[in-house]
Amino acid sequence: MRQLVPSWIRVPVAFFIIFGAVEFFIDSGNKPAFVEYPAVLLFLLLVLLILIAIEAIIGALENVMLQKLDDAAKARFLAEKQSTYNFTWIKETYLKLLGQKPIEEETEIILDHNYDGIKELDNNLPPWWVYSFYISIIFAAVYLLRFHVFDGYTQIDELETELAEAKIAIEEYKKTAKDLVDFNTVTVLTETADIKAGEGIFTSNCVACHMADGGGGIGPNLTDDHWILGGGIKNVFKTISEGGRSGKGMIAWKAQLKPAQIAQVASYVLTLQGTTPANPKPAEGDVWVNENAETEAK
């Protein structure tokens, strides 16, 4: 096999086989393994150097052994070695695709006229060009029938399909990307971890105005059924994110808290409804009724 394939083909083929195996067996996510893990890049470079070194060593051994052969053996060895590099089938295929007459037969296709001693040959078009032209005609006919005669799908159809797939992909991504949530898409969080996280945020940022038990101080009471800017998870989220009434409400927390954190603290605030604070502030605002009848807390 080695006599049939030259080293300048063997080395790249072996290297890319090893490269493919590395990429297949090493989980590197969306990045190539040699980019994600520098050690893999060093390994591949080492493999390439070893392959080149092996070919160089084998070539050196062949030269040493060649010197020990007699003249007849040397001639046979060199003839075999030279023949391995002559890919005659490539040359023959190229000449067939070119479709030119050999130089010694060009007299058969010389035209009668000449210009300043320059003669013109009547070569046929290269077969590769002719076949490509025929294939393009067949393709055009099939395309015409498929997409214009039999009403095949159009680029508009492809676009609509891709947009629908993209929309589904975005919705799936939003399920795991919590920080993409806003007051239009937020839902009540019920997981214990989220409620605990919301309680921690409330304790760190909200107790100064609403008291630790939500009974209200500078800010309104969060335990009754009255709301100044509307209740429910969407309204509470928006109020926390964008702030309260201009000039006398709380600040907008969207600069300090991530959307996921706002969703957590808003969900925690809703758990305070119906509790009994130590010193509740009188109700403010209006009684809020969930018109959508969603299974939310306050």
Side-chain angles (χ1 to χ4, degrees):
M1 180 66 179
R2 187 175 181 279
Q3 295 296 327
L4 299 176
V5 183
S7 60
W8 55 269
I9 291 180
R10 287 196 303 269
V11 170
V13 169
F15 175 77
F16 281 110
I17 290 174
I18 296 173
F19 177 83
V22 168
E23 290 294 335
F24 179 78
F25 288 107
I26 296 180
D27 184 10
S28 57
N30 296 327
K31 295 182 179 180
F34 69 90
V35 174
E36 185 70 15
Y37 306 109
V40 173
L41 178 61
L42 295 176
F43 168 76
L44 292 174
L45 291 176
L46 180 61
V47 168
L48 181 60
L49 291 175
I50 291 174
L51 292 174
I52 295 174
I54 291 174
E55 290 294 334
I57 292 171
I58 293 176
L61 290 176
E62 286 182 348
N63 289 333
V64 171
M65 295 182 62
L66 180 63
Q67 302 303 321
K68 298 181 179 180
L69 299 176
D70 55 37
D71 293 340
K74 284 183 180 179
R76 288 195 303 271
F77 177 82
L78 293 175
E80 292 177 0
K81 190 176 180 66
Q82 185 66 27
S83 65
T84 59
Y85 294 88
N86 292 331
F87 293 94
T88 56
W89 63 272
I90 296 179
K91 185 175 181 180
E92 292 173 355
T93 303
Y94 172 76
L95 291 176
K96 289 180 179 179
L97 291 175
L98 201 59
Q100 288 183 337
K101 287 277 189 180
I103 295 178
E104 57 271 14
E105 299 178 11
E106 284 186 349
T107 54
E108 300 176 6
I109 56 173
I110 292 179
L111 298 177
D112 294 335
H113 57 269
N114 66 77
Y115 303 92
D116 296 329
I118 300 174
K119 298 181 180 180
E120 183 180 358
L121 299 179
D122 188 20
N123 277 313
N124 295 322
L125 287 171
W128 68 266
W129 192 96
V130 175
Y131 297 149
S132 300
F133 181 66
Y134 292 154
I135 291 172
S136 66
I137 293 175
I138 296 172
F139 175 82
V142 173
Y143 187 92
L144 176 67
L145 293 173
R146 175 68 176 85
F147 294 102
H148 294 278
V149 176
F150 298 109
D151 295 326
Y153 63 89
T154 64
Q155 290 179 329
I156 299 299
D157 297 328
E158 290 182 351
L159 176 62
E160 291 176 349
T161 300
E162 291 180 1
L163 288 176
E165 293 174 351
K167 185 176 181 180
I168 294 173
I170 290 173
E171 293 302 322
E172 290 297 323
Y173 175 70
K174 284 182 177 180
K175 291 179 181 178
T176 57
K178 295 183 178 180
D179 281 330
L180 290 180
V181 69
D182 59 23
F183 67 88
N184 289 314
T185 59
V186 66
T187 56
V188 177
L189 303 177
T190 57
E191 295 291 335
T192 303
D194 289 321
I195 299 301
K196 286 292 184 183
E199 182 180 7
I201 297 170
F202 184 88
T203 302
S204 301
N205 301 285
C206 309
V207 295
C209 296
H210 296 284
M211 306 302 288
D213 56 7
I218 299 174
N221 185 349
L222 301 177
T223 64
D224 56 39
D225 56 359
H226 288 68
W227 293 91
I228 298 173
L229 298 175
I233 186 64
K234 297 183 185 298
N235 289 319
V236 175
F237 182 99
K238 184 177 181 181
T239 302
I240 297 172
S241 176
E242 304 299 327
R245 293 166 293 174
S246 177
K248 53 182 177 180
M250 71 176 181
I251 64 170
W253 286 96
K254 62 183 178 182
Q256 288 87 352
L257 301 176
K258 296 179 179 179
Q261 293 175 312
I262 297 176
Q264 289 171 334
V265 71
S267 297
Y268 171 73
V269 166
L270 295 179
T271 65
L272 298 175
Q273 183 184 22
T275 60
T276 306
N279 187 23
K281 187 177 180 180
E284 299 176 78
D286 302 317
V287 175
W288 183 81
V289 178
N290 190 347
E291 297 178 352
N292 295 323
E294 298 174 346
T295 56
E296 297 177 348
K298 188 174 176 183

